[in-house]
Each structure stands twice: as C-alpha cells, then as structure tokens.
Amino acid sequence: MAETTRNTPWRLAQRAERLNPSVIREILKATEQPGIVSLAGGLPSPDSFPVQAMREACARVLADAPHEALQYAASEGFGPLREWVVAQLAATGLAATASQVLITSGSQQGLDLVGKMLIDAGSRVAVEAPTYLGALQAFAPYEPDFVTVDCDDEGPLPQALGAAAGARFLYLLPNFQNPSGRCMGAQRRLALAEQASRLGLPLVEDNPYGELWFDAPPPPPVAAAAAGGAIYLGSFSKVLAPGLRLGYVVAPPALFPKLLQAKQAADLHTPGFNQRVAYEVIRSGLLDTHLPQVRARYKAQRDAMRAALQLHLPPGCRTTVPAGGMFFWVELPEGLDASALLPQAVAAGVAYVPGSPFFSGAARANTLRLSFVTVAPALIEQGVAALGQVLAGALEKDFA
Amino acid sequence: MAETTRNTPWRLAQRAERLNPSVIREILKATEQPGIVSLAGGLPSPDSFPVQAMREACARVLADAPHEALQYAASEGFGPLREWVVAQLAATGLAATASQVLITSGSQQGLDLVGKMLIDAGSRVAVEAPTYLGALQAFAPYEPDFVTVDCDDEGPLPQALGAAAGARFLYLLPNFQNPSGRCMGAQRRLALAEQASRLGLPLVEDNPYGELWFDAPPPPPVAAAAAGGAIYLGSFSKVLAPGLRLGYVVAPPALFPKLLQAKQAADLHTPGFNQRVAYEVIRSGLLDTHLPQVRARYKAQRDAMRAALQLHLPPGCRTTVPAGGMFFWVELPEGLDASALLPQAVAAGVAYVPGSPFFSGAARANTLRLSFVTVAPALIEQGVAALGQVLAGALEKDFA
C-alpha cells in the first residue's frame, strides 16, 4: 500500500465533513495517566460485570447450539431474546410485539439506523439541550439541521415543542439523561407525548439507563403514551456488559421493515453468539439478583459524590442530585469555562468532561459532567476535592 | 405503541427508497422446507466451525481478562488482532501497518463504512458484472449511480476501465468471486492496478474467500500493486465462523481517520469479547491445521458438484470450475430465465439463487448461482440431478 498519502485519488463524501474526532475520546486518552482520578469516562464499573454467569453461558451455548450460535443468523435478532425484550418492556408499561424488536450492535447502532432511515441532508432533527453526544455523532453524518428544544430540570418543555415543528423527530432521553442526570416525571411525559401527537412530531426515545434507578423505577416510557408512534431504543450495556455490544430498537410496524433492511445492509446481523450468551445469562433471572447489586453499588457512589460535591464545590456552583444513572451535571458560575479549566484540573489530578460537546447549538461553556460509576468512593472524594480547589482558584482569579 | 400505522407522522429519508427486501433472503426463507436440497445459501458448513477451540478460547478470555473483554473498547479494534491481520496480509504480499487496520463487525460493515465515507448521492461507483449482492446493498443507501465494467472469466478487463472514469472507486472481488466463482490471474491484477492508477481510479478490494483455495493460493492482492492506493477488506467469517461477525478494513493513512470516525458513530466498536476470543483461537496457530481441513472438505464438495454438473446439466449450459471459494456460476442457454424457473426447481426439490440480483445494471436472466459448501456430496448430486431435469424440461418446451 505504497504512496497512498501523496497524490491521493480519493474523494470523500460530503457527509464525511460532519464527522470529527470525538472530543471525549481525546479527553479520555489524555487522562489515562496513572495518578489521575478520571470522573470523565462513562464506563460502567467492571466489578459489576457478571463474569461467572458469562462463563457458564458461553459453555452452555457452545455445548447446546454451537452450530447455530456460530452460523449466519436472522437480521432481526435471536427470537427468544426479542421475546425477552417484549416482556421487559411490558413491565415498564410499554406494549410491543417481538416483530417490532430489532436486535442491534449496541444501542449506538440503533441511533445510526434511525438516522440513516429518517434523516435527509437539511432535515430538521430536534434534540434536548444538553443531549447525548453519541446521538449527535450518529445523526450528524446524515447532515441534519439540529434544532434545540428548551428544557428545564425534567427535560423538554411541552410548550417549547413548537420549535421542533416539521422536524423528522424529537430525540429524547428521559431516564437519568447522559449528560445531565435528569429524569422526566410522569406528568411531563404525558404532556410531552400529547403535545408531540398534536404537532405530528415523531419521537425517538432512548433508554440506556432506565434500569439504574436508586430509589424507585422511572415512570413509564414516553413512547407508551405516544399516540403518533415512537421509536424506542434500549441497551444491554449498562445492565450486563458493554463489551457484548447488544442493544435493540422497537419500531412502529410501518417503519420496522426499513430499519431491518438498513440493518442487513450495515452488518447483516448482530453476532448470534453474543445474543445467545446474553439470553442464557438473563433467562435464569440473573438480573433479579444482579441489578439490585449494581443499583446499590452505584447509589453508594452517587452518595459519595453528592457528599463530596457539597463539601468541596465553591459557592455559585449548581448541581441536582441524580436519582439514577451514572452522572452528575455541574453548572459553574457564569464566566468560568470548563474546557479552558480542564488542563488545570488534570494537572491537579482529576479529569471530567466539559459540557460543551453535549450541545448541538449554543453551548454552555460553564457546564461539566462527572461520572460516579467508574471509580470507588474514596477516589471520588479525592477527585472532587481536587476539582473544588481548581474551581475555587479560578473563581478567586476571575473575581479578584 | 398504538395507532402507529394509520396517520403516521413518519417521513422516510430519500435513501430509504434504495433499500429493498433481500431477494436472496426471501428465496432462502421459501426454500427452508424439509426435503428441499438448498444449493442457494452462502452459508459455510457448520461442521467446519472450530467449536472446541472456541470453547477453550472463551474460557481463557473470561479467566485472563474478563473486565477488559466485557468493557467498552477502542474503536480501532483489539491491538493484537490488528497485528495478526498485518502478518497475514504480509504473507499474501500486501504490506500494511496495524495503524491502517480497522476491525469491523463483519466485512459487510466495512462495505457500509466505505460507502458512507466515499459516496454522495449521484456519485459513480464502478462494479464488476456480476458482483457481490451484499456490496450493492451496502452502497445503495448512499445513492450512487452504479457503472458496470466489462468482464471476462477473470474479472474486469483493463481496457474497459475507461467506463469507470470519474467513479469514486472500483469495487473488486478478485478471489473466487461471489457469485461467479472466478479468480483473477496475476497478470490481470497487475494490469488492472496499473490502468486504475493511470486513470486515478481508487480501488476497493474485497477478499472474503481468499483462504478457501483448493490447489494453490491466489496471486497477491490487486491492492499490493495499486500505486494510487486501495482499500482492502477481509473477513473471519469463512475461516473461523460468521456468527462472531468479525472482519476488517485496511485503509490508506489519509482515509483511516474518517473510516474510524464513521465506525465510532455506527456502533462505537466491534465486541471486544469476540475479538479476544477470535485472537485466542488463532494465535496458537489453529488455522494452520484448521484451514487445510476446510479446504479439503470444500474441494471434495466442489468435485462432487463438478461431476454432477457434467452428468446432469443439459447441453448448452456453460460453467467454469472454481479453484476455490463456495460457488459455481451457471449460464443457461439464452432464452431460459432462472428466476422464472425457480418455483419449478423448488417443486422438484432443489433451490438455487437466480443470477439477476448480482447485476447492478442489465441483468442476465439466464444465470444462476450454486453453493457447494453447505450440503454434503450425496445431496449435491441429488440436487443437481433435479436441477438438470427441470432445465432439460424447460429446454424441450422452449425449443419444441
């Protein structure tokens, strides 16, 4: 493969311009040094992975159905796993049939397929502010114009949905949102669904964190009340393990065939081996004992971070306590720039993700995201203390 | 999810029109009845899967590196697996570095990412006639205008490349092509690479079948001689097992970052667990003993099909003997339509894939594809005999 960089004959598609190196990836690389407490990553605690159950499940699948597990498989996904998803959704209040469930290679792929089938260049796509960066990255190559809907601590305001008029869809993450940690209340969900239906605005609801609640499960999905129809996305990454790359899309019957064809074109099917192993792990009811342990672990770490933030954040910072999920969202006093402060924080031994990349439009530079799931309570305390010192120093300098 | 099909607010992207239900999938479904000898599928023989080695590899990965294998991982792929790919390619005559290797979710995903980064609506994309249907399906949503390059029994004619002038790339499958079974000779490869370089025509070379040679390995890749640069795709589906969904793209340094960003946006990364398990299976040199067994099995089945075709095909049919891979390509006498004859064939107990879907432009209705890898020699003989009777009957009627 000689001489490929000079006189290159390659011409990129226009959409390639909409892709950029992930800011977060670059931050994570920079902070993977020993001695840095990283509150930046969104990685689940590896201690939460059900390794022993995985071991048994792999052995069982390769003993009982090795040829089926290792052969090409249906693009829709493994039947029993699709049925399992339906039962789980029913328990949350969302009625669907297995024929509406498409197993994907992580819910990130679900976002890609949705973008591929619904977004033309110049289409309006409505999002929250802030919103999940991975969704912006999945949709961006299809060249939409992003429209931001005004939000409060619960998410989008129903009376603000007019801004999304004519959009191909509104992308929502109602449960313990990444990055804000916020959770939408039951009344807000109903009001949003009703207003979206009135406006003829389709909904794409993403729920990677819903099972990670600390005190009570979140209200039923917005999709359950969406008379106009909704696409619903879920993931096994946070309840089992992300390294399996398993997620799913639940689509209205009118849309399902197109998403399925897009899935076939994209990678034929999600690994059958992984689907069968995951199903073996969960069919026995492992999640009934496993999830309470994960919730208890993350709740304790949430509590540790809450206490540390109360103790160490300088006055003028604002944060709300997440009732589940993985993240605290911190608003610094106006005038502070979280991106500009990151090198100082890393020098002081702590890393975070600045909030700016999570805004599709005007970014709020004085915001940042802290993850409480990856490191243990003692390190959380240490990291937040370092962050507090950096912020206090910046405030002194700023307002001196 | 009520009332989603009536008064639907969903509006599809224009590219969704370019996706259709897979003809082959529909055929495969129709022929999955007991009593039908299916020579239609492109499924590797499940008896060729290294199940015991997989068992040991799963156990080892979950014992040695469970947290790493089950956690989020780098979008580029697992380092040692990328290095292994480089060593394999070097042995075929293709020089590359690990930094050029992107691990993908099957080589189908490689085709999707290549299309996503290189094709605008209306871009010309040059293909062989016939060509791999999965590539047409992967590229189609990006709305190219396909251009066909004239071919003979080795593939594209160098003097015909002018038809591809201005194309974003020429897609080539030089080794035991799906569907034609043809293999490009060494001289043709060099001539093609030279002519493409002269025209400034980028090459995308796909090699899923190269390891399935029966008498001698195929010549070095076209990419090895492509001064203007080439993208090269490979797969673990035919040498290990398709159910793992593992493939790779080797890209010129100037293109790699964009393909990597597209990969991140599409599914973050290919399952780390699968990459580590595959690497465990192959690092020990299993393929050195495994591949000769697979080759011997498929060669015997190729021989069985050759003998059956000689015995049972009526006069006027043309076929060439593939030197590797999985397929015979049959040209029927002009006037016979393989699609129209399929229901009769299925009624007679045999299924095949008509050749038409493999043409991006004018389809040759009198062609069909037969796979010799999925069923055993006795059934191959039975299926081909049934096919011969159907064809003989059609010829009698046609020319009576």
Side-chain angles (χ1 to χ4, degrees):
Chain A
M1 296 214 150
E3 301 175 42
T4 49
T5 48
R6 280 176 296 171
N7 305 320
T8 173
W10 302 96
R11 192 172 144 206
L12 289 173
Q14 191 180 307
R15 77 177 64 80
E17 289 171 22
R18 299 287 285 262
L19 282 166
N20 291 297
S22 161
V23 186
I24 291 188
R25 266 179 71 93
E26 299 306 310
I27 291 172
L28 292 179
K29 267 190 203 165
T31 60
E32 273 171 3
Q33 307 155 29
I36 307 283
V37 177
S38 180
L39 307 175
L43 306 183
S45 169
D47 294 331
S48 75
F49 301 156
V51 177
Q52 182 54 33
M54 279 284 301
R55 244 180 232 131
E56 291 162 17
C58 286
R60 202 164 320 126
V61 167
L62 287 173
D64 293 352
H67 292 173
E68 295 84 348
L70 297 175
Q71 187 58 283
Y72 285 112
S75 300
E76 292 88 341
F78 181 50
L81 190 63
R82 299 168 79 201
E83 294 286 356
W84 184 88
V85 167
V86 166
Q88 292 295 112
L89 294 181
T92 71
L94 185 62
T97 65
S99 63
Q100 293 177 268
V101 178
L102 176 66
I103 304 292
T104 55
S105 301
S107 71
Q108 183 72 22
Q109 188 186 42
L111 294 169
D112 177 54
L113 299 177
V114 164
K116 199 173 188 176
M117 288 301 93
L118 293 177
I119 304 175
D120 283 308
S123 297
R124 287 158 65 86
V125 167
V127 296
E128 304 176 72
T131 187
Y132 173 51
L133 176 61
L136 294 176
Q137 289 173 327
F139 300 151
Y142 303 112
E143 304 175 84
D145 290 336
F146 288 114
V147 188
T148 299
V149 173
D150 284 345
C151 296
D152 64 8
D153 284 348
E154 284 196 67
L157 296 159
Q159 63 271 31
L161 281 200
R168 291 294 167 93
F169 57 84
L170 167 62
Y171 172 71
L172 290 174
L173 210 163
N175 294 334
F176 322 123
Q177 196 218 31
N178 180 357
S180 70
R182 67 192 171 202
C183 187
M184 199 183 286
Q187 290 311 311
R188 173 66 61 86
R189 291 174 195 236
L190 294 174
L192 259 189
E194 194 180 320
Q195 182 66 1
S197 171
R198 195 172 297 142
L199 295 169
L201 177 66
L203 300 176
V204 173
E205 179 172 14
D206 195 4
N207 182 26
Y209 309 106
E211 290 289 355
L212 302 180
W213 48 265
F214 301 147
D215 301 307
V222 181
I231 292 173
Y232 180 93
L233 296 101
S235 172
F236 292 89
S237 293
K238 310 304 185 293
V239 297
L240 275 182
L244 293 174
R245 308 305 303 126
L246 287 176
Y248 53 88
V249 179
V250 187
L255 285 183
F256 188 88
K258 282 292 169 195
L259 289 170
L260 176 63
Q261 290 156 25
K263 168 74 180 165
Q264 279 179 244
D267 65 2
L268 298 184
H269 63 87
T270 292
F273 180 65
N274 302 38
Q275 296 185 63
R276 286 169 184 264
V277 167
Y279 180 67
E280 273 302 320
V281 169
I282 60 188
R283 69 184 292 189
S284 58
L286 174 99
L287 292 186
D288 295 342
T289 53
H290 179 65
L291 278 177
Q293 291 169 14
V294 178
R295 290 177 193 131
R297 166 192 295 271
Y298 288 172
K299 184 181 183 180
Q301 295 180 197
R302 188 270 320 257
D303 289 344
M305 187 170 274
R306 172 169 56 181
L309 289 168
Q310 281 171 343
L311 200 60
H312 298 293
L313 277 193
C317 294
R318 177 177 183 266
T319 183
T320 53
V321 180
M326 302 169 50
F327 305 107
F328 270 89
W329 180 247
V330 182
E331 298 179 44
L332 309 177
E334 292 288 341
L336 290 195
D337 181 329
S339 300
L341 287 171
L342 183 60
Q344 282 173 250
V346 171
V350 62
Y352 56 80
V353 177
S356 297
F358 298 97
F359 294 89
S360 68
R364 292 171 57 202
N366 64 323
T367 56
L368 59 88
R369 189 194 76 177
L370 300 176
S371 163
F372 52 82
V373 299
T374 315
V375 304
L379 279 176
I380 289 175
E381 156 75 19
Q382 181 188 323
V384 171
L387 175 64
Q389 286 196 327
V390 169
L391 294 176
L395 281 169
E396 268 177 37
K397 205 162 53 180
D398 225 43
F399 300 103
Chain B
M1 295 213 153
E3 300 175 41
T4 49
T5 47
R6 280 176 296 172
N7 305 320
T8 173
W10 301 97
R11 191 171 146 208
L12 289 173
Q14 192 180 307
R15 76 177 64 80
E17 289 172 23
R18 300 287 285 261
L19 283 166
N20 291 297
S22 161
V23 186
I24 292 189
R25 267 179 70 94
E26 299 307 309
I27 291 173
L28 293 180
K29 267 189 203 164
T31 60
E32 274 171 4
Q33 307 157 28
I36 307 283
V37 177
S38 181
L39 307 175
L43 307 183
S45 168
D47 295 331
S48 74
F49 301 156
V51 177
Q52 182 54 32
M54 280 283 301
R55 242 179 234 132
E56 291 162 17
C58 286
R60 202 165 319 127
V61 167
L62 288 172
D64 293 352
H67 292 173
E68 295 84 348
L70 297 175
Q71 186 59 283
Y72 285 113
S75 300
E76 291 88 341
F78 181 50
L81 191 63
R82 298 169 80 201
E83 294 285 357
W84 184 88
V85 167
V86 166
Q88 292 296 111
L89 293 181
T92 71
L94 185 61
T97 66
S99 63
Q100 292 177 268
V101 177
L102 177 66
I103 304 293
T104 55
S105 301
S107 70
Q108 184 72 21
Q109 188 186 41
L111 294 169
D112 177 55
L113 299 178
V114 165
K116 200 172 187 177
M117 287 301 94
L118 293 177
I119 304 175
D120 283 308
S123 297
R124 287 158 66 85
V125 168
V127 297
E128 303 177 70
T131 188
Y132 173 51
L133 176 60
L136 294 176
Q137 290 173 326
F139 300 151
Y142 304 111
E143 304 175 85
D145 290 337
F146 287 115
V147 188
T148 298
V149 174
D150 284 344
C151 296
D152 64 8
D153 284 348
E154 283 196 67
L157 296 160
Q159 62 269 31
L161 281 201
R168 292 294 168 93
F169 57 84
L170 167 62
Y171 172 71
L172 289 175
L173 209 164
N175 294 333
F176 321 124
Q177 195 218 31
N178 179 356
S180 70
R182 68 190 170 203
C183 187
M184 198 182 287
Q187 290 311 312
R188 175 65 61 86
R189 291 174 195 236
L190 293 174
L192 259 188
E194 194 180 321
Q195 182 65 0
S197 171
R198 196 172 294 141
L199 295 169
L201 177 65
L203 299 176
V204 173
E205 179 172 13
D206 195 4
N207 182 26
Y209 308 107
E211 291 288 355
L212 301 181
W213 49 266
F214 300 147
D215 301 307
V222 181
I231 292 173
Y232 179 93
L233 296 102
S235 172
F236 292 89
S237 292
K238 310 304 184 293
V239 297
L240 275 183
L244 293 174
R245 308 305 305 124
L246 287 176
Y248 54 88
V249 179
V250 187
L255 284 183
F256 188 87
K258 281 293 169 197
L259 289 169
L260 176 63
Q261 290 156 24
K263 168 73 180 166
Q264 279 178 245
D267 65 1
L268 299 183
H269 63 86
T270 292
F273 181 64
N274 302 37
Q275 296 185 62
R276 286 169 184 264
V277 167
Y279 179 67
E280 275 301 321
V281 169
I282 59 189
R283 69 183 292 189
S284 58
L286 175 100
L287 293 186
D288 296 341
T289 52
H290 179 65
L291 278 177
Q293 292 168 13
V294 178
R295 290 178 193 131
R297 166 192 296 272
Y298 288 173
K299 183 180 184 180
Q301 294 180 201
R302 188 269 320 258
D303 290 344
M305 185 169 275
R306 172 170 56 181
L309 290 168
Q310 281 172 344
L311 199 61
H312 298 293
L313 276 193
C317 294
R318 176 176 183 266
T319 182
T320 52
V321 181
M326 302 169 50
F327 306 108
F328 269 88
W329 179 247
V330 182
E331 297 179 45
L332 309 177
E334 292 288 342
L336 289 195
D337 182 329
S339 300
L341 287 171
L342 183 59
Q344 282 172 250
V346 171
V350 62
Y352 56 78
V353 177
S356 298
F358 298 97
F359 294 88
S360 67
R364 292 171 56 203
N366 63 323
T367 56
L368 59 87
R369 189 193 76 177
L370 301 176
S371 163
F372 52 83
V373 299
T374 315
V375 305
L379 280 176
I380 288 175
E381 155 76 21
Q382 180 188 324
V384 171
L387 175 64
Q389 286 196 329
V390 169
L391 294 176
L395 281 169
E396 268 176 38
K397 203 162 55 180
D398 224 43
F399 301 103

